[in-house]
Amino acid sequence: MDLAIAPAVLETPELLPSATMTTEDKPSLRQIFEAEEGPLLRFAHGLTGRRETAEDLVQEAFLRLHSHWEEVAHPKAWLYRSVRNLALNHLRDHKRESSDEAPDSADDARGPDGHLARLEAAGAVRLLLAELKDDDRELIQLKYHQNLKYDQISQRTGLSVGNVGYKLHHLLKSLGDGLRRLGVDAPE
């Protein structure tokens, strides 16, 4: 990724943590960049299907964050939302470009916009997951990425089995509500 501009931006003195900052204050732009560049690139690639486009979008999002740094209270969530919006704008403006990933048969059945709708929904889910508390995101990771059963999750987290089920139920309900607020509807 050509981030020739970004390192210079990250070294701007006013963005480095001051001696009066506490650990509860927001991290520096450098810290955000180091922690989120890779995940944001994967997120953008998932939305656009093109590595080079993803790199450009992430760089643009960091440059925009730099110019709005003082106004942004939650940089990580802001970056994910910014990358999502930039990706959707890019896809809308470049409909004729083909992605590296072929649409699946369900997308084909819904027409050319099916693939874009699926990518937008996946991006919205990633955005909502990025905004969750770490403990909540860990529960979803354990259940849906590692395919653990409630009792296994209970052993790893120290929560009761009933509490694991309760929390996952409410997390999924909250994610569904968030998707509806973002305009992502259930498939037809």
Side-chain angles (χ1 to χ4, degrees):
M1 178 170 169
D2 180 20
L3 285 175
I5 297 172
V9 166
L10 297 175
E11 293 173 2
T12 306
E14 65 269 11
L15 296 180
L16 296 176
S18 69
T20 60
M21 288 183 75
T22 67
T23 57
E24 294 176 1
D25 290 332
K26 78 179 176 185
S28 70
L29 185 57
R30 177 184 302 277
Q31 291 168 327
I32 293 291
F33 179 79
E34 289 171 357
E36 298 303 324
E37 180 196 23
L40 280 167
L41 284 169
R42 288 187 294 278
F43 176 62
H45 184 266
L47 291 171
T48 63
R50 302 180 76 88
R51 182 173 179 258
E52 297 80 16
T53 301
E55 291 172 350
D56 291 343
L57 297 178
V58 169
Q59 181 173 359
E60 178 66 22
F62 274 106
L63 289 171
R64 288 182 181 190
L65 176 61
H66 176 259
S67 64
H68 296 284
W69 183 251
E70 296 302 319
E71 306 156 23
V72 177
H74 303 286
K76 180 178 176 180
W78 190 94
L79 279 167
Y80 275 89
R81 186 169 288 118
S82 180
V83 168
R84 175 192 176 267
N85 292 340
L86 288 167
L88 295 176
N89 289 341
H90 175 83
L91 290 170
R92 183 178 48 248
D93 295 342
H94 299 88
K95 285 183 180 180
R96 293 183 184 201
E97 289 183 14
S98 62
S99 71
D100 296 336
E101 300 173 4
D104 67 17
S105 59
D107 290 342
D108 288 341
R110 289 182 284 185
D113 291 332
H115 185 60
L116 178 59
R118 184 169 173 217
L119 288 174
E120 181 178 9
V125 168
R126 288 184 187 108
L127 174 68
L128 292 170
L129 288 172
E131 293 175 344
L132 290 177
K133 295 178 189 172
D134 290 339
D135 293 343
D136 293 340
R137 197 170 33 256
E138 179 188 14
L139 283 176
I140 291 182
Q141 170 77 18
L142 292 171
K143 176 64 179 159
Y144 297 102
H145 291 257
Q146 295 183 23
N147 297 316
L148 298 181
K149 298 186 183 307
Y150 285 7
D151 61 333
Q152 295 169 314
I153 296 171
S154 172
Q155 290 171 356
R156 286 215 186 161
T157 62
L159 298 170
S160 69
V161 173
N163 201 359
V164 169
Y166 175 84
K167 284 184 158 233
L168 282 170
H169 169 77
H170 286 282
L171 283 170
L172 293 176
K173 186 177 184 309
S174 173
L175 288 172
D177 292 343
L179 287 171
R180 281 186 285 286
R181 277 193 315 275
L182 292 172
V184 177
D185 294 323
E188 292 130 17

